[in-house]
């Protein structure tokens, strides 16, 4: 029974990569922290595009604290490529560039319209007539050089 | 009779792996010898045989676009080994979000100008400019 338990423990602690390759998962397996056996799809997806050997090289080239981010970004790119075999995540980048272009055009147009309306406001309200009318209304000169102050009285 | 006119230089892939580039080489249409870096990146990130499998997964008329996008991804990954294209997507998404906020603010100002023609919205420009330069975290903190 102990033997059965021992085999069971070895099988259940293999990472998804070693399980995929049907090999023993050593204690210092480079893949184990990032490809747990409860998510086999993650490795099969990434392996399809990059290959285990390339993934291993990429992991080795990075310090440990960055490896999880690497694996997540590879997984994201691989999923995008599964959904869109031609463009992958480059399709998303292209779409974002278009969104930026549209938003910049709309923003420039709106800002131009605001500038025109502001300019019309300045032209339509010469400062001297405004001062006179307010002094007449209040009887006191509140320092009307800055027209915004008048709206607080 | 000179044979120089019939000489075809090896494609970048065959040159990289130092083998004879035969007529009908699968890599030759996509990896001209003038751009060796393109194949080097693809080889480093995907591997040559993986790359060919990916290419065979798409229809022939789509292969050129597929090669371009794979080369783009490989180059992005070489430049940014941690995030690759995901880093680019994250940056662009932030830019889109920033522009949408600026556009909403500008539209609000425009509505106000149309509703209250006597108002001047110069004071909102500095708010917009401050928002744009300060970054998303600073703005979020201000609204709390």
């Amino acid at each position: 029974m102990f033997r059965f338990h021992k085999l069971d423990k070895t099988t259940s602690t293999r990472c998804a990569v070693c399980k995929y390759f049907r090999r023993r998962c050593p204690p210092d397996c480079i893949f184990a922290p990032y490809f747990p056996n409860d998510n086999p799809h993650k490795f099969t997806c990434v392996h399809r595009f990059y290959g285990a050997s390339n993934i291993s090289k990429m992991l080795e080239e990075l310090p440990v604290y960055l490896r999880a981010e690497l694996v997540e970004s590879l997984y994201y790119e691989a999923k995008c490529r599964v959904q869109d075999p031609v463009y992958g995540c480059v399709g998303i980048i292209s779409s974002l560039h278009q969104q930026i272009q549209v938003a910049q055009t709309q923003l420039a147009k709106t800002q131009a319209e605001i500038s025109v309306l502001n300019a019309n406001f300045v032209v339509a309200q010469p400062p001297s007539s405004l001062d006179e009318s307010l002094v007449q209304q209040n009887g006191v000169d509140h320092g009307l050089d800055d027209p915004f102050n008048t709206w607080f009285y | 009779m000179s044979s120089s006119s019939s000489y075809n230089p090896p494609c970048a892939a065959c040159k990289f792996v130092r083998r004879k580039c035969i007529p009908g080489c699968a890599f030759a249409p996509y990896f001209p010898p003038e751009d060796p870096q393109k194949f080097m990146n693809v080889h480093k990130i995907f591997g040559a045989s993986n790359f060919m499998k990916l290419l065979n997964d798409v229809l022939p008329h789509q292969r050129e676009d597929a090669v371009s996008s794979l080369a783009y991804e490989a180059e992005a990954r070489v430049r940014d080994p941690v995030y690759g294209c995901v880093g680019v997507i994250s940056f662009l998404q932030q830019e889109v979000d920033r522009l949408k906020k600026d556009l909403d603010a500008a539209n609000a100002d425009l509505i106000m100008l149309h509703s209250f023609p006597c108002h001047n919205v110069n004071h909102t420009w500095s708010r917009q400019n401050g928002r744009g330069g300060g970054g998303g975290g600073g703005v979020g903190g201000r609204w709390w």
Side-chain angles (χ1 to χ4, degrees), chain A residues 118-129:
Chain A
N118 274 340
N120 288 345
F121 165 71
V122 170
V123 166
Q125 300 291 336
S128 56
S129 62

Side-chain angles (χ1 to χ4, degrees), chain A residues 47-51 54 58 61-62 66 69-70 73-74 76-77 81 85-90 92-93 96-97 99-100 103-104 106-107 110-111 113-114 117-118 121-122 148, chain B residues 44-47 50 54 57-58 62 65-66 69-70 72-73 77 81-86 89 92-93 95-96 99 102-103 106-107 109-110 113-114 117-118 120-122 125:
Chain A
H47 175 55
R48 180 179 165 187
F49 296 103
Y50 300 99
N54 278 347
M58 285 194 249
E61 281 171 8
L62 288 177
L66 289 173
E69 298 286 288
L70 163 70
S73 70
L74 288 174
Y76 180 89
E77 287 188 25
R81 187 62 64 173
V86 181
Y87 297 106
C89 65
V90 177
I92 297 174
I93 291 173
L96 286 169
H97 273 298
Q99 286 181 50
I100 286 171
Q104 281 174 338
Q106 284 177 343
L107 185 60
T110 306
Q111 287 171 347
E113 216 174 315
I114 289 171
L117 287 172
N118 274 340
F121 165 71
V122 170
F148 294 112
Chain B
K44 179 176 179 179
I45 302 302
F46 297 105
N50 246 14
L54 294 173
D57 282 346
V58 300
Q62 296 172 317
D65 283 350
S69 70
L70 287 165
Y72 183 98
E73 278 191 35
R77 184 62 64 177
V82 181
Y83 297 107
C85 274
V86 174
I89 289 172
L92 292 175
Q93 189 61 63
E95 188 65 13
V96 166
L99 281 167
D102 285 350
L103 190 56
N107 280 330
D109 289 343
L110 196 59
L113 276 174
H114 281 300
C118 299
N120 186 297
V121 294
N122 278 340
W125 286 109

Side-chain angles (χ1 to χ4, degrees), chain A residues 30-148:
Chain A
I30 194 168
F31 298 104
Y34 318 108
F35 296 101
N37 59 14
D38 59 358
N39 188 2
H41 176 261
K42 191 174 182 182
F43 177 70
T44 52
C45 192
V46 176
H47 175 55
R48 180 179 165 187
F49 296 103
Y50 300 99
S53 163
N54 278 347
I55 298 167
S56 173
K57 280 185 213 164
M58 285 194 249
L59 284 168
E60 282 165 2
E61 281 171 8
L62 288 177
V64 172
Y65 73 94
L66 289 173
R67 290 177 184 176
E69 298 286 288
L70 163 70
V71 169
E72 293 309 310
S73 70
L74 288 174
Y75 186 32
Y76 180 89
E77 287 188 25
K79 281 191 289 186
C80 288
R81 187 62 64 173
V82 166
Q83 287 184 344
D84 184 352
V86 181
Y87 297 106
C89 65
V90 177
I92 297 174
I93 291 173
S94 179
S95 166
L96 286 169
H97 273 298
Q98 284 180 6
Q99 286 181 50
I100 286 171
Q101 206 170 6
V102 166
Q104 281 174 338
T105 306
Q106 284 177 343
L107 185 60
K109 196 176 158 191
T110 306
Q111 287 171 347
E113 216 174 315
I114 289 171
S115 295
V116 165
L117 287 172
N118 274 340
N120 288 345
F121 165 71
V122 170
V123 166
Q125 300 291 336
S128 56
S129 62
L130 182 63
D131 288 348
E132 277 176 23
S133 64
L134 284 169
V135 168
Q136 279 170 10
Q137 190 178 1
N138 298 329
V140 175
D141 184 355
H142 290 284
L144 298 169
D145 291 336
D146 182 3
F148 294 112

Side-chain angles (χ1 to χ4, degrees), chain B residues 8-142:
Chain B
N8 287 323
C11 71
C14 292
K15 200 168 179 183
F16 182 81
V17 298
R18 293 178 189 173
R19 70 176 176 214
K20 190 170 185 291
C21 190
I22 57 171
C25 168
F27 292 96
Y30 312 111
F31 297 103
E34 300 82 36
D35 190 0
Q37 192 63 48
K38 186 179 173 185
F39 180 75
M40 281 169 64
N41 293 340
V42 164
H43 183 267
K44 179 176 179 179
I45 302 302
F46 297 105
S49 73
N50 246 14
F51 175 79
M52 283 317 298
K53 279 187 214 166
L54 294 173
L55 216 52
N56 289 331
D57 282 346
V58 300
L59 298 170
H61 70 278
Q62 296 172 317
R63 282 178 189 162
E64 199 165 339
D65 283 350
V67 170
S68 295
S69 70
L70 287 165
Y72 183 98
E73 278 191 35
E75 186 181 346
R77 184 62 64 177
V78 166
R79 285 172 190 267
D80 183 352
V82 181
Y83 297 107
C85 274
V86 174
V88 177
I89 289 172
S90 177
F91 173 78
L92 292 175
Q93 189 61 63
Q94 284 178 25
E95 188 65 13
V96 166
D97 292 343
R98 184 186 71 78
L99 281 167
K100 280 184 178 168
K101 276 185 188 163
D102 285 350
L103 190 56
D104 286 345
N107 280 330
D109 289 343
L110 196 59
I111 288 169
M112 193 174 73
L113 276 174
H114 281 300
S115 306
F116 304 103
C118 299
H119 276 252
N120 186 297
V121 294
N122 278 340
H123 66 283
T124 63
W125 286 109
S126 60
R127 194 177 75 220
Q128 281 180 357
N129 290 339
R131 232 199 311 239
V139 171
R142 207 177 297 159

